[in-house]
């Protein structure tokens, strides 16, 4: 219950104050001239103004409201090192016990992480989460804010005015004064590089000022995917340039790790994982066509339509044994530069295609032997064969035969058939999802010829008539070779019986031979969207190794992928940290970034009171170090409620504002100067004024 006086004037306050000012001037003039009755006139006018002001006695029925204390708990990644997580839990539990002594204090527990659903958050945002938690709390009810953190906060306002409330902010620091750490900074790194080139990465190893031996040297270990680690000594604090070779198309993963410093806080930020995407220049393809046939243009059109392919095409119009007197200059625009192509510039081609080529003396056997060595050293050869492969002049009867994946029997099967996928072909990326392959019978058109051959250390992806191998591929040394045992792919291109996916098949086959990463049989990919990491493993095997996921903090988790269709295994998991995740399965590895790859969260992990000090001091709060040792970590400052003060902390106590907020449940008004009482007093003073002036 509360009593007070409130005025409810009959006229607006500006009018009332104007009347009072005018009356004051007139009354001052009467007093200046010493007129009789001036005092009675003053009292009469004051009573008139009081009646117009309409004073009321107000009775309020009030319900007290509890004060609100906000406790912000830093659950960011930097809190997970050096035992800070356990220390934070201990502080929170003891604080809960201490707060039970204040029944009229409502506590808002706010947990702040360094990750967000949209991955746009970069760093520790305690004040952002505090503002969201206090959105429904009136500022006059907030008693104070307590933050449990190591002190590295990235959204501290410039001044206390930006907080939106007038209450003390206290910090309970979970770290220790004088902590030191070493970290590896990536100053610049390329995202793309041409295959075969070298790109420079700039890094720097830095120590905090408190680190013993700061400014000395440290060992830097660089591990390129699939290669032995290379160690070099660098000066701490100096920028170092590391060359990274782009060995293949697709992701080239490079790990750089700095030698740990003795007694440093954590080694989490001593390592960096970089991915440089290898990009090929235009793929150079040499197409050598034997005798002209209907399918020759199919190969040419397919390769010419690919913007990433530079094609060199030669067609042998007349073999040496056929001489009819026609001049050479009428048969070809240029001479066949066999020496230049097959000896001097052979290694410049990414793929060589022999289309219905037979050994007829155009290419000396020495050049075909060069092609075999070219494959062993990493090149690629595709043979598109017809009945020529079964003849005595077959390419298999040349030095090139040592790398070809199938031995011809000399028999050609000529009967209609629909090319079909083998069990391996249903999983292999070249043929697994060809349009029209689903169902018991493919929906594409028929072919009419297949060369009988026995695979040799090779894989069969497609079968033809009488279940004979149709598409055979193999690895030879560091290179690859493929054999298409039919020359009827052009029927699909012409739309015979509805046609078929000839472009998809031939283009994928060519790019697989050139080692395009997306067409590898064994791949491991990881992508992120928000806080979700999607892992995809492609394999032609019936079983795969589990996947190990290494978080930015170094925490490892082993998961088993779910098997899908056509050799695809998948799994999705939720990331709890921000930064670069490493994914590994057997010899395969991949990296994926969640949020910011160079997150501020782990760029500085030493505990500090300097970041929060300006706001803490301006609000009257205090910084309390609670991480020196286990004994002192249990000694929290005492909680004290104060009704006011500029300094709200001491060495062993922290203060909270006693707000005395309330909620009004009901109001009653009692007029104080109305009715006959006011009229009688006003008339009485007017009569007294008249009487005094008349005598």
């Amino acid at each position: 219950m509360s009593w007070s006086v409130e005025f409810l004037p009959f006229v607006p306050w500006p009018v009332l104050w104007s009347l009072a000012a005018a009356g004051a001037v007139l009354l001052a003039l009467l007093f200046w001239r010493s007129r009789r009755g001036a005092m009675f006139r003053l009292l009469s006018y004051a009573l008139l103004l009081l009646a117009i002001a309409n004073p009321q006695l107000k009775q309020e029925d009030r319900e007290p409201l509890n004060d609100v204390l906000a406790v912000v708990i830093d659950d960011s990644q930097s809190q997970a090192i050096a035992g800070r997580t356990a220390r934070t839990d201990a502080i929170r539990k003891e604080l809960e016990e201490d707060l039970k002594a204040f029944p009229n204090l409502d506590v808002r527990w706010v947990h702040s992480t360094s990750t967000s659903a949209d991955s746009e958050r970069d760093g520790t945002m305690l004040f952002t989460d505090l503002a969201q938690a206090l959105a429904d709390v009136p500022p006059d009810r907030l008693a104070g804010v307590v933050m449990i953190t190591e002190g590295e906060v990235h959204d501290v306002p410039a001044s206390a005015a930006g907080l939106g409330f007038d209450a003390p902010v206290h910090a309970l620091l979970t770290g220790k004064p004088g902590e030191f750490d070493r970290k590896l900074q990536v100053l610049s790194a390329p995202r793309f590089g041409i295959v075969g080139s070298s790109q420079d990465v700039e890094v720097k190893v830095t120590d905090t000022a408190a680190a013993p031996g700061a400014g000395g040297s440290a060992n830097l270990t660089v591990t390129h995917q699939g290669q032995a680690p290379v160690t070099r000594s660098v000066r701490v604090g100096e920028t170092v340039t590391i060359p990274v070779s782009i060995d293949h198309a697709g992701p080239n993963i490079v790990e750089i790790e700095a030698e740990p410093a003795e007694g440093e806080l954590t080694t989490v930020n001593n390592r960096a994982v970089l991915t440089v995407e290898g990009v090929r220049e235009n793929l150079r393809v040499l197409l050598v066509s034997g005798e002209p046939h209907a399918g020759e243009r199919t190969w040419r059109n397919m390769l010419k339509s690919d913007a990433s392919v530079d094609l060199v095409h030669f067609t042998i119009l007349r073999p040496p044994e056929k001489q009819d007197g026609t001049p050479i200059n009428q048969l070809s625009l240029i001479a066949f530069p066999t020496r230049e192509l097959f000896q001097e510039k052979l290694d410049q081609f990414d793929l060589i295609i022999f289309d219905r080529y037979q050994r007829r003396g155009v290419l000396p056997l020495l050049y075909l032997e060069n092609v075999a060595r070219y494959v062993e050293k990493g090149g690629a050869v595709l043979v598109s064969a017809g009945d020529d492969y079964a003849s005595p002049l077959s390419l298999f009867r040349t030095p090139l035969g040592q790398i070809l994946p199938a031995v011809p029997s000399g028999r050609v099967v000529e009967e209609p058939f629909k090319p079909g996928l083998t069990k391996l072909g249903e999983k292999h990326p070249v043929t697994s999802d060809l349009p029209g392959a689903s169902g018991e019978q493919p929906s594409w058109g028929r072919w009419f010829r297949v060369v009988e051959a026995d695979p040799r250390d090779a894989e069969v992806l497609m079968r033809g008539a009488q279940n004979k191998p149709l598409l055979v591929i193999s690895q030879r040394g560091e290179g690859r070779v493929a054999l298409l045992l039919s020359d009827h792919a052009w029927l699909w291109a012409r739309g015979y019986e509805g046609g078929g996916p000839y472009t998809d098949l031939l283009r994928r086959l060519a790019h697989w031979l050139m080692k395009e990463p997306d067409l590898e049989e064994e791949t491991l990919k990881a992508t992120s969207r928000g806080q979700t990491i999607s892992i995809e493993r492609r394999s032609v095997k019936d079983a795969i190794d589990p996947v190990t996921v290494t978080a930015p903090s170094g925490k490892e988790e082993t998961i088993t992928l779910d098997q899908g269709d056509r050799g695809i295994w998948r799994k999705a998991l939720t990331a709890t940290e921000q930064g670069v995740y490493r994914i590994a399965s057997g010899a395969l590895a991949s990296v994926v970034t969640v949020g910011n790859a160079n997150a501020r969260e782990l760029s500085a992990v030493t505990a500090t009171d300097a970041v929060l000090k300006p706001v803490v001091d301006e609000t009257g709060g205090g910084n309390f170090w609670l991480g020196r040792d286990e004994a002192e970590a249990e000694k929290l400052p005492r909680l004290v409620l104060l009704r006011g003060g500029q300094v709200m902390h001491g060495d062993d106590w922290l203060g909270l504002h006693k707000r005395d907020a309330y909620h009004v449940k009901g109001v009653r008004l009692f007029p104080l100067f109305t009715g006959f009482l006011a009229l009688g007093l006003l008339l009485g003073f007017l009569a007294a004024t008249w009487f005094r002036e008349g005598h």
Side-chain angles (χ1 to χ4, degrees):
M1 190 76 68
S2 174
W3 296 87
S4 62
V5 176
E6 185 172 341
F7 292 90
L8 301 175
F10 295 112
V11 297
W13 278 108
V15 176
L16 184 60
W17 288 116
S18 299
L19 293 175
V25 172
L26 295 176
L27 290 170
L29 182 62
L30 292 177
F31 278 102
W32 180 62
R33 293 186 176 184
S34 301
R35 292 293 184 92
R36 288 183 297 178
M39 182 57 68
F40 285 101
R41 287 179 179 272
L42 173 61
L43 294 175
S44 299
Y45 198 70
L47 290 175
L48 177 61
L49 293 177
L50 182 62
I52 297 175
N54 188 23
Q56 305 279 333
L57 181 63
K58 183 169 68 172
Q59 175 191 2
E60 289 184 343
D61 185 10
R62 296 179 177 180
E63 179 183 5
L65 296 177
N66 293 343
D67 294 335
V68 177
L69 170 65
V71 181
V72 184
I73 301 175
D74 184 355
D75 288 332
S76 61
Q77 291 175 241
S78 57
Q79 278 282 82
I81 62 177
R84 293 173 184 169
T85 301
R87 193 172 299 126
T88 298
D89 291 340
I91 293 173
R92 178 184 58 79
K93 291 178 181 178
E94 186 171 352
L95 189 59
E96 285 180 345
E97 292 297 323
D98 293 347
L99 289 173
K100 291 179 180 179
F102 301 90
N104 297 326
L105 188 65
D106 293 339
V107 182
R108 292 281 181 97
W109 298 94
V110 183
H111 289 267
S112 178
T113 66
S114 56
T115 58
S116 61
D118 54 8
S119 292
E120 293 180 354
R121 172 174 293 195
D122 183 16
T124 302
M125 304 296 179
L126 301 189
F127 288 92
T128 300
D129 293 331
L130 174 65
Q132 294 176 354
L134 297 180
D136 60 339
V137 177
D140 59 356
R141 289 187 59 192
L142 186 63
V145 176
V146 176
M147 293 185 170
I148 305 176
T149 177
E150 91 285 355
E152 288 290 351
V153 183
H154 301 109
D155 64 342
V156 180
S159 66
L163 294 173
F165 57 80
D166 181 19
V169 177
H170 303 279
L172 305 182
L173 302 174
T174 59
K176 303 177 182 179
E179 292 176 340
F180 68 93
D181 185 54
R182 169 173 290 176
K183 64 180 178 180
L184 176 67
Q185 292 179 281
V186 179
L187 304 180
S188 66
R191 296 183 59 188
F192 302 93
I194 301 298
V195 174
S197 67
S198 180
Q199 299 290 326
D200 290 337
V201 176
E202 291 187 348
V203 300
K204 181 168 64 173
V205 179
T206 58
D207 289 347
T208 60
S217 62
N219 289 329
L220 206 63
T221 302
V222 180
T223 305
H224 197 283
Q225 185 179 7
Q227 299 180 5
V230 177
T231 302
R232 57 183 293 188
S233 180
V234 300
R235 296 284 300 178
V236 174
E238 293 185 359
T239 300
V240 180
T241 300
I242 299 175
V244 176
S245 59
I246 312 301
D247 296 330
H248 56 81
N252 290 258
I253 302 174
V254 181
E255 297 185 54
I256 307 174
E257 185 171 2
E259 174 188 21
E262 183 179 355
E264 72 169 307
L265 190 64
T266 179
T267 60
V268 169
N269 50 9
N270 290 30
R271 182 181 65 250
V273 181
L274 307 176
T275 300
V276 183
E277 195 74 19
V279 180
R280 290 185 184 271
E281 293 182 292
N282 277 5
L283 302 171
R284 292 175 290 273
V285 178
L286 172 60
L287 173 59
V288 180
S289 298
E291 60 187 47
H293 71 106
E296 177 183 353
R297 186 166 294 275
T298 299
W299 278 108
R300 178 180 177 84
N301 291 343
M302 186 273 294
L303 293 170
K304 291 291 288 185
S305 64
D306 194 333
S308 63
V309 171
D310 287 338
L311 177 64
V312 177
H313 183 199
F314 286 95
T315 300
I316 302 171
L317 298 178
R318 185 177 67 181
E321 71 272 12
K322 290 186 178 180
Q323 299 294 335
D324 57 4
T326 305
I328 293 295
N329 60 4
Q330 296 182 20
L331 292 177
S332 62
L333 298 177
I334 59 175
F336 194 4
T338 53
R339 176 179 175 82
E340 182 180 4
L341 293 178
F342 290 93
Q343 184 165 333
E344 298 177 0
K345 297 183 178 181
L346 183 64
D347 57 353
Q348 296 182 10
F349 288 99
D350 297 293
L351 173 64
I352 299 175
I353 301 176
F354 291 97
D355 176 31
R356 284 182 58 94
Y357 180 83
Q358 297 185 68
R359 177 172 56 89
R360 289 184 173 177
V362 177
L363 292 179
L365 297 182
L366 176 63
Y367 292 163
L368 294 177
E369 187 175 350
N370 290 343
V371 174
R373 285 197 296 267
Y374 154 82
V375 173
E376 295 284 350
K377 293 180 180 180
V381 165
L382 169 61
V383 176
S384 177
D387 53 4
D388 56 279
Y389 194 69
S391 71
L393 300 178
S394 169
L395 272 177
F396 187 81
R397 313 299 176 187
T398 70
L400 194 61
Q402 60 185 324
I403 65 166
L404 292 178
V407 181
S409 66
R411 177 171 173 259
V412 178
V413 179
E414 296 196 8
E415 62 180 64
F417 66 93
K418 284 190 175 183
L421 304 183
T422 63
K423 290 185 177 181
L424 177 62
E426 293 176 353
K427 299 179 181 180
H428 200 282
V430 171
T431 53
S432 63
D433 56 349
L434 285 177
S438 59
E440 295 183 2
Q441 281 290 331
S443 60
W444 48 58
R446 294 177 296 172
W447 293 4
F448 295 89
R449 179 187 296 153
V450 62
V451 180
E452 185 180 70
D454 295 325
R456 181 181 60 179
D457 297 329
E459 299 173 334
V460 179
L461 303 185
M462 300 182 72
R463 291 193 178 274
Q466 301 179 11
N467 209 29
K468 301 297 183 183
L470 177 62
L471 176 59
V472 187
I473 63 174
S474 182
Q475 305 269 355
R476 291 291 185 263
E478 297 180 5
R480 296 180 177 181
V481 61
L483 178 60
L484 183 61
L485 292 165
S486 177
D487 56 353
H488 281 186
W490 62 272
L491 292 172
W492 280 358
R494 300 287 179 86
Y496 177 76
E497 293 186 346
Y502 76 98
T503 302
D504 292 327
L505 175 62
L506 301 184
R507 180 173 287 127
R508 289 184 198 175
L509 184 58
H511 283 272
W512 176 84
L513 287 164
M514 292 182 285
K515 301 179 182 179
E516 287 300 304
D518 290 340
L519 292 170
E520 292 296 317
E521 299 96 319
E522 303 292 330
T523 59
L524 178 64
K525 298 180 181 179
T527 57
S528 67
R529 183 174 183 179
Q531 293 301 119
T532 301
I533 298 177
S534 299
I535 303 174
E536 181 179 291
R537 172 82 159 86
R538 175 186 287 276
S539 177
V540 295
K541 302 176 182 177
D542 295 330
I544 61 172
D545 296 329
V547 173
T548 301
V549 180
T550 305
S553 63
K555 179 182 177 181
E556 291 188 355
E557 179 184 3
T558 301
I559 62 174
T560 301
L561 304 186
D562 299 328
Q563 186 174 8
D565 296 332
R566 300 183 180 276
I568 301 295
W569 307 65
R570 294 186 177 92
K571 190 76 171 184
L573 63 151
T574 302
T576 58
E577 300 178 15
Q578 200 175 37
V580 178
Y581 282 75
R582 293 188 296 170
I583 317 296
S585 176
L588 300 176
S590 181
V591 295
V592 62
T593 301
V594 176
N596 188 353
N598 300 311
R600 291 187 293 175
E601 182 57 36
L602 295 178
S603 63
V605 296
T606 54
T608 178
D609 61 355
V611 177
L612 291 171
K613 186 175 178 57
V615 170
V616 168
D617 290 347
E618 194 172 348
T619 60
N623 285 310
F624 300 90
W625 290 93
L626 302 179
R628 294 191 182 96
D629 52 50
E630 293 302 325
E632 295 188 21
E634 299 297 328
K635 296 180 181 179
L636 293 184
R638 294 180 294 108
L639 300 177
V640 180
L641 288 177
L642 303 174
R643 295 191 180 275
Q646 295 295 323
V647 179
M648 301 291 290
H649 76 282
D651 292 338
D652 61 347
W653 63 274
L654 61 83
L656 304 176
H657 270 311
K658 179 66 175 173
R659 292 297 189 177
D660 293 325
Y662 59 86
H663 170 67
V664 178
K665 298 177 64 177
V667 177
R668 295 181 63 188
L669 298 175
F670 301 95
L672 294 178
F673 198 68
T674 57
F676 292 107
L677 174 62
L679 181 61
L681 287 174
L682 184 59
L683 292 177
F685 274 98
L686 289 176
T689 302
W690 173 79
F691 178 79
R692 180 68 181 87
E693 290 182 352
H695 293 78

